[in-house]
Amino acid sequence: AQSVAQPEDQVNVAEGNPLTVKCTYSVSGNPYLFWYVQYPNRGLQFLLKYITGDNLVKGSYGFEAEFNKSQTSFHLKKPSALVSDSALYFCAVMGNNDMRFGAGTRLTVKP
Amino acid sequence: DAGVIQSPRHEVTEMGQEVTLRCKPISGHDYLFWYRQTMMRGLELLIYFNNNVPIDDSGMPEDRFSAKMPNASFSTLKIQPSEPRDSAVYFCASSFGIEQFFGPGTRLTVL
């Protein structure tokens, strides 16, 4: 069965600095990978996905993610963090039409 | 489109009572998913439907939980009888293809 791991419960960065939220995955076959963001008292919002093609995927709000097959990773990145990026971020992998989510990483961007 | 609609947004009930959560997926979507989110267990897939047919209910915690999808525009998740450990946020999501769109969730509190 497919699974994802988000090794960091929390990531803290200063506004304007680059941010990285880590994700590794395990899946048989070709991976379908996703990042979602959850703001307080809201549902999950789609950020980006990797299905095939370029390893660098660009998504919403200036986020991007790099697919690395050899390291089975799909880290989320942003060149310059905003305070408004503070939220809970979930990595997910899809197999057999169902999606498995990581435990989530809470990103805090401080002014 | 209004997106995925869930009702109620908040539900407070007493242990032993029946609880029914409702979901209206995005029109045209052929997959519907029910998730539960708690601090302890994160985001868990409970069950999903394809064209109104339940495909995988292995995530349903026990027989007290049941889900139905009588037509393409409506699904229910029922808990009978409810217990305090069922307190969580329940999300419904729908998709046509790869990306899932989440509703705002129902926050259930069982006293």
Side-chain angles (χ1 to χ4, degrees):
Chain A
Q2 66 273 15
S3 65
V4 292
Q6 294 181 242
E8 302 158 316
D9 292 335
Q10 179 136 358
V11 170
N12 298 315
V13 299
E15 188 175 30
N17 283 0
L19 69 88
T20 299
V21 183
K22 296 179 180 178
C23 172
T24 59
Y25 66 91
S26 174
V27 65
S28 57
N30 294 323
Y32 294 165
L33 297 161
F34 303 81
W35 276 101
Y36 282 82
V37 60
Q38 185 179 30
Y39 296 100
N41 301 313
R42 302 286 296 276
L44 276 70
Q45 297 179 31
F46 171 81
L47 276 180
L48 51 80
K49 65 186 177 191
Y50 172 83
I51 305 300
T52 187
D54 290 341
N55 290 342
L56 186 63
V57 179
K58 293 189 182 297
S60 307
Y61 312 120
F63 284 92
E64 58 189 27
E66 186 170 11
F67 170 68
N68 188 316
K69 187 174 183 178
S70 63
Q71 297 184 3
T72 61
S73 67
F74 190 56
H75 300 332
L76 182 69
K77 300 180 179 182
K78 187 173 182 179
S80 179
L82 300 172
V83 173
S84 58
D85 293 330
S86 298
L88 189 57
Y89 290 80
F90 290 94
C91 182
V93 62
M94 173 172 280
N96 298 323
N97 290 315
D98 73 290
M99 189 173 289
R100 303 292 170 173
F101 288 84
T105 298
R106 185 163 300 282
L107 172 67
T108 301
V109 182
K110 298 183 178 179
Chain B
D1 199 319
V4 176
I5 299 172
Q6 291 187 247
S7 63
R9 292 294 308 276
H10 302 273
E11 177 80 29
V12 180
T13 190
E14 292 186 346
M15 182 174 63
Q17 297 298 306
E18 177 179 296
V19 175
T20 299
L21 311 180
R22 297 173 176 80
C23 175
K24 176 178 170 57
I26 293 173
S27 177
H29 284 191
D30 56 351
Y31 281 87
L32 184 139
F33 306 81
W34 281 101
Y35 293 89
R36 178 173 67 176
Q37 185 178 35
T38 62
M39 289 292 292
M40 293 297 295
R41 301 176 67 89
L43 198 61
E44 305 172 275
L45 176 66
L46 300 178
I47 185 172
Y48 74 94
F49 297 81
N50 177 223
N51 292 323
N52 313 336
V53 177
I55 302 301
D56 184 353
D57 65 354
S58 60
M60 296 286 263
E62 47 197 276
D63 291 346
R64 296 184 297 106
F65 285 69
S66 62
K68 294 182 179 180
M69 192 166 185
N71 57 63
S73 60
F74 184 65
S75 176
T76 59
L77 178 66
K78 185 174 295 186
I79 309 172
Q80 166 63 16
S82 59
E83 298 182 2
R85 60 194 169 116
D86 300 331
S87 297
V89 180
Y90 291 81
F91 289 103
C92 176
S94 69
S95 73
F96 179 76
I98 300 296
E99 181 184 340
Q100 293 185 17
F101 294 81
F102 282 74
T106 296
R107 183 174 296 277
L108 173 65
T109 303
V110 183
L111 302 174

